[in-house]
């Protein structure tokens, strides 16, 4: 959409270029500035002061919402900015605005791009009701380290899935909701050493191009309007000051035609990095690298005029930046109709939106363990006592996840309320046991209350405030009080169904053989309770596949499926001492990328390959049969993994190259088939050429990245 092959965007760029020609330098620099109008500085009696802040000094606002409020600012802006250029407001509409959708990590576990698109579309539409024109989403960082709290905002650890979801989200925000999207955080922000937020990384160009850039490329190809430069450094150069990243690669290689906005104050922070000696140097390096719009503050207004006068920044570069920003404003229509309205924008929390949220949530859940106790079919549990306990069971805002809008936490469907409706003929015995507000906990009393139940549904997890930005952890265990309470519950001798709500994988290792079932619900959003009951009752047979590996122990992080072999891979020979392993923990994940159980079972048979040779320009087809061998209808996502055995650089043990998600009735079979071409095998090699290298390849069609299924081999000539 925001690409020069789109005639509408081309026309917008032409109109913008015409306007730029008439603008003064001061007026142009105003368009490169974003202010945050802090609630407590906005005082209607002081609109002049406020107007002063806005007047002629910014082209975009951060987190300003509300039609009347924005129109007041717009009036000031039109009166006071040179050339009367309208402003727009950008917000973090990450996974919902009034109707909170599941967190992006959860959405990616559906493996269904349409679900991601629909959730982005609803979020964007609800945001336009309050005049929002731009969202700082989707976040497309590759999330390999669960210690980093922002994995919650990501589409998981795999570039293939993250690329599909990036495209879907961009289209949802831009084509369905009509607001600007923003691919963030460019780039490799998630590779932060130690999983510690804002930390830097050392990264080869091969890893950058093969793993971390593909989702950005997918979003750019889908027409993303903006990209956000990240806080972190790569190899000693902060991204928000890196010409290599923001111009040479982003524009030169990935072909980005929109505009770049800095992450919050990241240009100013070039000084903290020790990369800029003062504010003016930071502006020279940030803007010089390619940061078009400064989030946040006055540095560009303060220093760019002098830098241009000194010839250190060219006015042509400024013209190019302003043209891209004005083109986006033309595309939004705000240049022609500057005042915002909620007319015709639909409502909030409509039945349709709630249904989209509920459907997304139930499809995002990952069933990790089930000894057969699930589903708890209401008719079979009539007259029985179902215990319900734990902090997540009756808590509204934690299950909304990070970046949840503050609009309507009260509208969240609680698990407790939904279960009381879903099991009218059972006795729901509710007691919190432990609470996020520790002072309200009553574990001993609760164990007494629950000991006569026929089953206990224990809803545990981390609070939403424990994931998202600046929430890195060294320990991924459940909170200590929840672990102790769970031990008490297990000691009752009553089957325990463990539900876990979190923004990241937490350590489940000690519950695997104690809980009768483990259902990972991530942060499901507004329709939490209904989605949980859809799954617990068996109305919906869970099919989510985790898109991020679950470690056995925190010390394993980062742990991810497309890792390297090493010279001493663990190949299962007992007592083999010298191999790449831990002496106190298994080397692989507890649950691998792509893993997720169902209430039914699936069998993979008759795997075959069309040829053991792929000629240059040719293809091979890999297929197998998947059969539903259980008693419930269910969905399965069969995944194709490929290993490039020998390369000019070492290659991952396997890479996801495709998946096919389908529904099967009991006894029904489906023939899964994938056709591979050279393009699927290409990578950035030792010489930084994007090629498929000749040699042997091993394929598997499997239920997850760790499953042992028949291997199929072919050689690329
Ligand atoms: C934050 C986040 C970024 C967000 C921006 C604006 O620091 O890093 O994801 O979009 O600032 O709120």
């Amino acid at each position: 959409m925001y690409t020069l092959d789109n005639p509408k965007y081309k026309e917008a760029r032409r109109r913008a270029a015409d306007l730029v020609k008439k603008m003064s330098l001061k007026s142009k620099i105003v368009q490169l500035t974003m202010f945050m109008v802090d609630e407590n500085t906005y005082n209607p009696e002081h609109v002049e002061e406020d107007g002063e802040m806005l007047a002629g000094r910014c082209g975009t606002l951060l987190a300003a919402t509300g039609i009347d409020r924005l129109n007041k600012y717009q009036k000031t802006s039109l009166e006071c900015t040179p050339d009367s250029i309208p402003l727009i407001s950008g917000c973090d509409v990450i996974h919902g605005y009034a109707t909170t959708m599941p967190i992006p990590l959860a959405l990616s576990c559906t493996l269904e791009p349409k679900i991601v698109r629909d959730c982005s579309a609803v979020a964007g539409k609800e945001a336009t009701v309050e005049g929002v024109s731009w969202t700082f989403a989707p976040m497309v960082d590759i999330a390999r380290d669960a210690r980093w709290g922002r994995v919650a905002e990501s589409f998981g650890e795999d570039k293939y899935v993250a690329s599909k979801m990036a495209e879907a989200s961009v289209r949802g925000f831009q084509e369905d909701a009509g607001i600007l999207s923003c691919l963030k955080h460019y780039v490799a922000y998630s590779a932060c050493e130690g999983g510690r937020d804002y930390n830097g990384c050392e990264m080869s160009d091969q890893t950058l191009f093969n793993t971390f850039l593909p989702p950005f490329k997918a979003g750019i190809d889908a027409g993303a309007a903006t990209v956000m430069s990240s806080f972190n450094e790569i190899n000693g150069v902060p991204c928000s000051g890196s010409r290599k990243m923001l111009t040479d690669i982003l524009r030169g290689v990935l072909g980005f035609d929109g505009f770049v906005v800095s992450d919050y104050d990241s240009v100013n922070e070039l000084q903290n990095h020790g990369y800029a000696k003062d504010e003016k140097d930071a502006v020279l390096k940030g803007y010089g690298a390619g940061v078009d719009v400064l989030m946040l503050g006055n540095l560009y207004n303060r220093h760019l005029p002098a830098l241009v006068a000194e010839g250190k920044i060219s006015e042509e570069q400024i013209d190019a930046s302003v043209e891209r920003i004005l083109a986006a404003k033309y595309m939004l229509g705000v240049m022609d109709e500057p005042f915002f309205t909620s007319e015709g924008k639909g409502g909030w929390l409509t039945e349709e939106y709630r249904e989209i949220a509920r459907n997304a949530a139930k499809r995002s859940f990952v069933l990790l363990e089930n000894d057969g106790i699930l589903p708890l079919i209401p008719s079979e549990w009539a007259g029985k006592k179902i215990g319900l306990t734990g902090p997540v069971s009756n808590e509204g805002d934690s299950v909304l996840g990070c970046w949840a809008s503050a609009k309507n936490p009260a509208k969240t469907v609680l698990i407790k309320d939904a279960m009381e409706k879903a099991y009218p003929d059972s006795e729901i015995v509710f007691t919190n046991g432990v609470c996020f507000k520790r002072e309200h906990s009553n574990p001993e009393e609760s164990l007494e209350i629950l000991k006569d139940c026929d089953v206990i549904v224990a809803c545990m997890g981390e609070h939403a405030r424990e994931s998202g930005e600046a929430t890195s952890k060294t320990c991924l265990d459940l909170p200590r009080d929840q672990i102790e309470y769970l031990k008490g519950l297990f000691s009752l001798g009553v089957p325990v169904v463990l539900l876990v709500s979190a923004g990241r994988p937490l350590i489940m290792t000690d519950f695997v053989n104690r809980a009768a079932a483990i259902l990972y619900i991530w942060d499901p959003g507004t329709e939490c309770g209904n989605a949980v009951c859809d799954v617990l009752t068996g109305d919906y047979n869970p099919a989510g596949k985790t898109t991020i590996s679950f470690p056995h122990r925190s010390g394993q992080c980062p742990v991810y499926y497309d890792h390297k072999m090493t010279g001493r891979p663990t190949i299962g020979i007992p007592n083999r001492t010298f191999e790449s392993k831990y002496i106190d923990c298994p080397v692989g994940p507890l649950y691998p990328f792509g893993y997720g159980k169902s209430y039914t079972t699936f069998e993979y048979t008759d795997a075959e390959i069309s040829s053991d040779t792929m000629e240059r320009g040719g293809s091979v087809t890999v297929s197998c049969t998947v059969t539903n061998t259980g008693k419930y209808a269910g969905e399965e996502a069969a995944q194709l993994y490929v290993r490039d055995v020998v390369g000019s650089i070492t290659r991952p043990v396997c890479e996801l190259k495709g998946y096919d998600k389908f529904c099967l009735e009991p006894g029904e079979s489906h023939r899964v088939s994938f056709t591979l071409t050279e393009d699927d095998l290409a990578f950035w090699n030792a010489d930084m050429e994007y090629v498929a290298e000749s040699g042997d390849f091993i394929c598997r069609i499997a239920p997850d990245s760790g499953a042992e299924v028949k291997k199929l081999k072919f050689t690329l000539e």
Side-chain angles (χ1 to χ4, degrees):
M1 193 164 172
Y2 289 78
T3 49
L4 285 170
D5 58 2
N6 173 3
K8 194 165 177 288
Y9 182 60
K10 213 174 167 82
E11 169 60 11
R13 287 287 289 261
R14 189 196 58 72
R15 291 181 71 185
D18 286 351
L19 178 50
V20 167
K21 290 191 186 88
K22 302 170 193 147
M23 292 165 70
S24 67
L25 178 61
K26 178 178 186 318
S27 175
K28 294 172 191 173
I29 294 171
V30 162
Q31 292 304 310
L32 308 183
T33 293
M34 174 189 286
F35 274 131
M36 182 171 199
V37 183
D38 191 329
E39 287 293 342
N40 58 33
T41 62
Y42 172 67
N43 176 332
E45 280 66 55
H46 299 284
V47 70
E48 297 70 29
E49 177 196 56
D50 206 274
E52 166 49 37
M53 183 171 129
L54 289 172
R57 292 167 61 214
C58 81
T60 52
L61 290 172
L62 170 58
T65 60
I67 297 299
D68 295 343
R69 185 162 164 241
L70 282 175
N71 284 340
K72 182 183 287 288
Y73 292 149
Q74 192 68 295
K75 181 173 174 298
T76 308
S77 183
L78 290 173
E79 286 163 2
C80 302
T81 50
D83 304 295
S84 288
I85 294 175
L87 54 71
I88 58 172
S89 176
C91 284
D92 291 284
V93 185
I94 310 298
H95 58 103
Y97 192 76
T99 309
T100 301
M101 302 296 173
I103 53 173
L105 180 58
L107 293 178
S108 69
C109 295
T110 66
L111 295 183
E112 297 180 58
K114 179 157 184 339
I115 283 190
V116 170
R117 177 164 181 166
D118 289 350
C119 289
S120 294
V122 170
K125 288 172 185 171
E126 288 191 334
T128 58
V129 172
E130 287 203 321
V132 175
S133 303
W134 179 19
T135 179
F136 306 121
M139 186 262 223
V140 296
D141 300 315
I142 292 294
R144 291 176 150 179
D145 192 331
R147 292 173 296 178
W148 188 57
R150 302 198 77 166
V151 300
E153 304 169 56
S154 79
F155 292 127
E157 71 189 45
D158 173 65
K159 58 192 179 289
Y160 181 89
V161 171
S163 297
K164 286 198 166 298
M165 302 318 180
E167 175 190 355
S169 185
V170 165
R171 295 194 189 285
F173 283 124
Q174 295 188 166
E175 296 171 26
D176 302 336
I179 65 174
L180 307 182
S181 71
C182 181
L183 300 171
K184 71 184 188 181
H185 304 80
Y186 185 82
V187 62
Y189 172 37
S190 54
C192 45
E193 194 171 289
R196 182 159 49 85
D197 207 353
Y198 314 123
N199 203 4
C201 70
E202 296 289 328
M203 182 177 290
S204 68
D205 280 353
Q206 282 84 356
T207 298
L208 178 70
F209 276 76
N210 286 325
T211 302
F212 288 82
L213 285 176
F216 285 95
K217 175 67 179 157
I220 289 164
D221 291 350
T226 74
V227 164
M228 182 182 288
S229 69
S230 56
F231 292 118
N232 59 292
E233 67 162 77
I234 298 183
N235 304 333
V237 180
C239 288
S240 292
S242 170
R243 184 167 184 78
K244 173 183 175 182
M245 297 299 164
L246 293 174
T247 298
D248 302 344
I249 293 175
L250 182 61
R251 296 197 187 280
V253 178
L254 304 186
F256 179 56
D257 272 327
F259 68 86
V260 174
V261 61
S262 67
D263 199 342
Y264 198 102
D265 211 28
S266 59
V267 169
N268 193 26
E269 291 173 7
L270 297 179
Q271 299 176 78
N272 298 339
H273 278 284
Y275 190 67
K277 63 178 185 295
D278 56 27
E279 245 189 34
K280 185 177 177 184
D281 192 32
V283 169
L284 172 61
K285 286 173 175 158
Y287 183 74
V291 178
D292 297 307
V293 175
L294 181 75
M295 178 197 294
L296 197 55
N298 233 346
L299 274 67
Y300 281 13
N301 283 333
R302 257 204 299 278
H303 298 292
L304 275 178
L307 288 166
V308 171
E310 293 158 21
K312 292 178 180 169
I313 292 286
S314 72
E315 189 152 1
E316 288 70 30
Q317 183 182 349
I318 290 188
D319 290 355
S321 298
V322 178
E323 181 188 317
R324 289 191 285 261
I325 293 147
L326 294 181
K329 291 185 174 182
Y330 277 115
M331 290 284 280
L332 287 166
V334 72
M335 299 295 281
D336 301 312
E337 178 36 73
F339 292 97
F340 302 100
T341 174
S342 57
E343 289 302 309
K345 305 289 188 207
W348 285 355
L349 285 157
T350 66
E351 278 317 300
E352 178 202 357
Y353 293 170
R354 280 185 172 274
E355 180 47 38
I356 288 171
R358 178 172 180 167
N359 181 54
K362 72 187 185 185
R363 303 175 82 83
S364 73
F365 297 165
V366 180
L367 183 61
L368 300 175
E369 299 291 346
N370 184 26
D371 67 3
I373 192 161
L374 291 182
L376 303 176
I377 298 173
S379 58
E380 296 174 3
W381 287 83
K384 302 272 180 76
K385 296 173 82 169
I386 301 177
L388 176 63
T389 192
V392 174
S393 53
N394 69 327
E395 215 273 344
D397 57 15
S398 172
V399 295
L400 297 182
C402 61
W403 284 122
S405 112
K407 298 279 181 266
N408 288 293
K411 303 276 187 182
T412 307
V413 179
L414 305 182
I415 294 172
K416 174 176 178 291
D417 296 341
M419 282 197 68
E420 283 162 355
K421 284 203 192 87
Y423 292 91
D425 303 325
S426 306
E427 182 188 350
I428 301 293
V429 181
F430 168 73
T431 176
N432 259 116
V434 292
C435 303
F436 287 117
K437 293 187 179 70
R438 300 280 157 81
E439 61 276 17
H440 300 162
S441 294
N442 63 340
E444 289 72 26
E445 181 190 340
S446 294
L447 292 174
E448 269 307 300
I449 291 167
L450 295 169
K451 69 181 191 322
D452 301 327
C453 288
D454 299 297
V455 65
I456 296 169
V457 178
C459 307
M460 305 293 180
E462 63 178 4
H463 195 281
R465 59 175 169 264
E466 295 179 69
S467 63
E469 187 171 355
T471 62
S472 295
K473 288 183 174 181
T474 59
C475 177
L476 301 178
D477 293 343
L478 279 175
R480 176 55 46 200
D481 62 337
Q482 292 182 31
I483 292 175
E484 292 311 311
Y485 183 50
L486 272 171
K487 283 178 185 167
L489 292 173
F490 294 140
S491 69
L492 296 177
V494 177
V496 174
V497 172
L498 175 58
L499 261 61
V500 181
S501 168
R504 70 178 100 201
L506 297 177
I507 303 303
M508 296 289 109
T509 308
D510 298 335
F511 316 125
V512 172
N513 300 317
R514 307 289 303 277
I518 303 177
L519 180 68
Y520 220 80
I521 66 171
W522 310 105
D523 289 316
T526 300
E527 283 292 310
C528 173
N530 287 333
V532 164
C533 286
D534 288 343
V535 170
L536 289 185
T537 61
D539 281 355
Y540 178 71
N541 180 358
K545 299 280 190 175
T546 185
T547 54
I548 188 167
S549 302
F550 277 72
H552 279 91
R553 296 288 171 222
S554 310
Q556 272 183 292
C557 292
V559 61
Y560 48 92
Y561 87 97
D562 53 343
H563 60 82
K564 299 300 187 71
M565 282 296 274
T566 78
R568 296 195 174 187
T570 49
I571 44 182
I573 298 175
N575 309 319
R576 182 171 176 253
T577 307
F578 300 105
E579 61 184 20
S580 178
K581 68 181 183 193
Y582 300 98
I583 59 171
D584 60 352
C585 176
V587 68
L590 176 63
Y591 302 112
F593 170 83
Y595 173 91
K597 293 173 80 78
S598 166
Y599 291 153
T600 191
T601 50
F602 296 101
E603 194 176 59
Y604 285 62
T605 56
D606 305 322
E608 62 183 19
I609 192 164
S610 58
S611 165
D612 58 7
T613 308
M614 183 195 288
E615 292 162 9
R616 285 290 168 181
S619 65
V620 294
T621 298
V622 186
S623 54
C624 85
T625 297
V626 180
T627 303
N628 180 341
T629 49
K631 61 179 185 177
Y632 293 101
E635 291 155 302
E636 173 67 338
Q639 302 144 46
L640 171 65
Y641 292 97
V642 178
R643 180 186 168 201
D644 182 351
V645 181
V646 177
S648 57
I649 54 171
T650 57
R651 309 285 291 116
V653 294
C654 69
E655 295 176 286
L656 180 71
K657 296 293 182 184
Y659 58 81
D660 179 6
K661 184 169 181 177
F662 45 84
C663 187
L664 292 177
E665 292 299 322
E668 190 183 4
S669 294
H670 172 65
R671 188 75 182 158
V672 178
S673 179
F674 299 97
T675 296
L676 284 167
T677 67
E678 272 181 72
D679 284 351
D680 297 307
L681 310 177
F683 70 106
W684 294 87
N685 70 2
D687 301 323
M688 278 305 283
E689 297 156 341
Y690 188 66
V691 291
E693 294 182 343
S694 299
D696 296 341
F697 291 82
I698 299 172
C699 308
R700 283 178 298 139
I701 299 177
D704 63 61
S705 60
E708 283 303 322
V709 292
K710 184 176 176 186
K711 292 184 171 72
L712 303 163
K713 299 181 182 178
F714 72 90
T715 302
L716 172 63
E717 286 186 340

